[in-house]
Amino acid sequence: MISVLESAGKTFELSENEFNSIARLINEEAGINLTSQKMPLVKARLAGRIRKLGMKSYRQYVKYVKDDPTQKELLTMIDKLTTNKTSFFREEEHFDFIKKNILAQRDLKQEPLRVWSAGCSSGQEPYSLTMLLKEEYHNMAKEDFQMLATDISVEMVNKTRLGVYEEETMESLPAPYIRKYFTKVADQTSRTKYRVTDDLKQHVRVARLNLISEWPMKGPFDFILCRNVMIYFKRDLRKNLVYRYGKLLKPGGYLFIGLSESLGGNSGELNYVQPAIYCKPQ
Ligand SMILES: C[S@@+](CC[C@H](N)C(=O)[O-])C[C@H]1O[C@@H](n2cnc3c(N)ncnc32)[C@H](O)[C@@H]1O
């Protein structure tokens, strides 16, 4: 049993049984694999929610989630338990690769580009790519580049759609990019924030999509970014997703995963190109 003092002065305990029911639920619903090392994290992330609902235990909360016919609380729980770490131009090597190997030979007017950011978190990944495209193609029209950005988390989907970022989030961006692609806005607390311009937004379609469910889109995509997402899934699910990504890619299209990930022997029909980049044969 783990026990900590919660800020409201209440002590919640998370038993192994309660942790196992939460882990089972999140695995069935989102494919996320929570090992027992994640017990303190689960405990901390759900404690506030349990308190807010006036509940007394994790067991009561799990029952509430399971009994909720609207599944709203399930979505809230998923929001709380997903890891959404991201940043603008994260893993820059991939953007360099895209610039040199995909954009350099491409006339978008002849051949528009279609991309999917699967697990886009709060949107820095799709907007970074859109900025890169804007830099390369000054007269880019809406139909020349279309990006689909999806995530399981309702909160992250809303953030991506809104495209408003805190000052700290902007630190990885060069000043000229901030000037060109963002507008300064102040929220109710008068803190400065930055909103992505409509000119960037017009290229990005945002939707909630659970990767372990059916995918409504047909593709084909020139490339798919699924970076730092499958790291939370079990091997069989990763293998299945890679197979499905392969089906949605154009021949010669690329799959990008996170730099700390590897597909090992599970790349299916995709060929290894360089760390974290795989290509569908022509
Ligand atoms: C660590 S973030 C990665 C964000 C971005 N791709 C990057 O590399 O910076 C992982 C994202 O995957 C999403 N995710 C986790 N499980 C998912 C699932 N089953 N379906 C869709 N998205 C999922 C999470 O909500 C989270 O926003």
Side-chain angles (χ1 to χ4, degrees):
M1 300 265 261
I2 294 175
S3 163
V4 288
L5 208 57
E6 304 297 343
S7 60
K10 282 185 193 160
T11 303
F12 288 109
E13 291 176 352
L14 175 63
S15 71
E16 238 169 82
N17 271 347
E18 288 169 328
F19 171 77
N20 289 340
S21 339
I22 295 169
R24 210 172 307 120
L25 193 58
I26 196 83
N27 186 252
E28 282 164 12
E29 299 294 337
I32 295 169
N33 178 31
L34 292 173
T35 57
S36 54
Q37 287 122 298
K38 294 280 160 65
M39 226 166 137
L41 180 131
V42 169
K43 185 173 171 11
R45 287 193 180 174
L46 295 181
R49 184 67 190 152
I50 292 172
R51 226 177 7 245
K52 197 168 176 193
L53 291 168
M55 294 181 176
K56 292 189 175 62
S57 68
Y58 288 87
R59 192 168 61 84
Q60 195 184 357
Y61 181 66
V62 174
K63 184 168 177 337
Y64 178 72
V65 172
K66 285 185 177 166
D67 290 349
D68 174 9
T70 67
Q71 298 215 322
K72 263 175 111 175
E73 194 56 36
L74 175 67
L75 295 185
T76 305
M77 189 179 101
I78 291 174
D79 274 5
K80 300 265 173 226
L81 294 180
T82 47
T83 298
N84 311 117
K85 183 182 179 306
T86 187
S87 54
F88 286 112
F89 291 99
R90 181 181 190 184
E91 301 181 345
E92 229 179 332
E93 293 88 326
H94 286 164
F95 295 92
D96 292 341
F97 181 92
I98 291 166
K99 193 171 158 183
K100 286 191 199 114
N101 297 281
I102 304 176
L103 306 185
Q105 303 102 4
R106 188 85 168 216
D107 177 354
L108 294 189
K109 300 287 174 204
Q110 299 295 323
E111 226 188 328
L113 200 68
R114 298 284 174 264
V115 180
W116 178 20
S117 165
C120 64
S121 189
S122 37
Q124 287 88 328
E125 183 176 271
Y127 291 129
S128 297
L129 188 67
T130 311
M131 284 186 262
L132 177 73
L133 265 288
K134 279 274 172 199
E135 289 292 304
E136 295 300 304
Y137 304 95
H138 298 293
N139 299 319
M140 186 167 78
K142 183 177 174 185
E143 57 279 9
D144 296 344
F145 169 61
Q146 281 293 290
M147 170 124 208
L148 173 65
T150 65
D151 202 280
I152 193 174
S153 159
V154 177
E155 197 185 333
M156 291 305 117
V157 166
N158 289 340
K159 277 195 170 179
T160 304
R161 227 173 243 145
L162 202 63
V164 174
Y165 298 97
E166 319 273 333
E167 208 150 20
E168 312 82 80
T169 312
M170 308 297 286
E171 277 162 11
S172 56
L173 277 177
Y177 280 42
I178 300 179
R179 280 197 296 276
K180 268 191 261 181
Y181 303 118
F182 293 83
T183 314
K184 261 191 192 179
V185 287
D187 67 3
Q188 291 102 327
T189 61
S190 303
R191 288 189 58 197
T192 305
K193 294 194 176 182
Y194 294 83
R195 189 175 57 222
V196 169
T197 59
D198 289 344
D199 191 34
L200 276 201
K201 275 191 184 174
Q202 65 170 335
H203 297 281
V204 182
R205 188 162 73 82
V206 188
R208 181 178 179 268
L209 181 76
N210 184 349
L211 288 171
I212 72 169
S213 62
E214 292 290 308
W215 300 345
M217 63 280 189
K218 301 266 175 290
F221 294 103
D222 293 281
F223 57 94
I224 297 172
L225 304 164
C226 184
R227 307 185 308 155
N228 309 296
V229 178
M230 292 190 285
I231 202 165
Y232 303 105
F233 300 159
K234 283 188 180 156
R235 192 171 164 271
D236 281 357
L237 176 55
R238 286 204 298 265
K239 192 172 170 180
N240 174 261
L241 288 177
V242 171
Y243 170 80
R244 294 170 76 195
Y245 289 141
K247 296 290 150 223
L248 280 194
L249 282 172
K250 289 181 184 169
Y254 294 94
L255 171 67
F256 295 81
I257 61 172
L259 279 178
S260 62
E261 303 171 80
S262 157
L263 296 182
N266 297 318
S267 59
E269 63 174 324
L270 306 182
N271 295 323
Y272 173 86
V273 179
Q274 67 180 59
I277 306 179
Y278 296 81
C279 182
K280 179 169 171 166
Q282 288 284 354

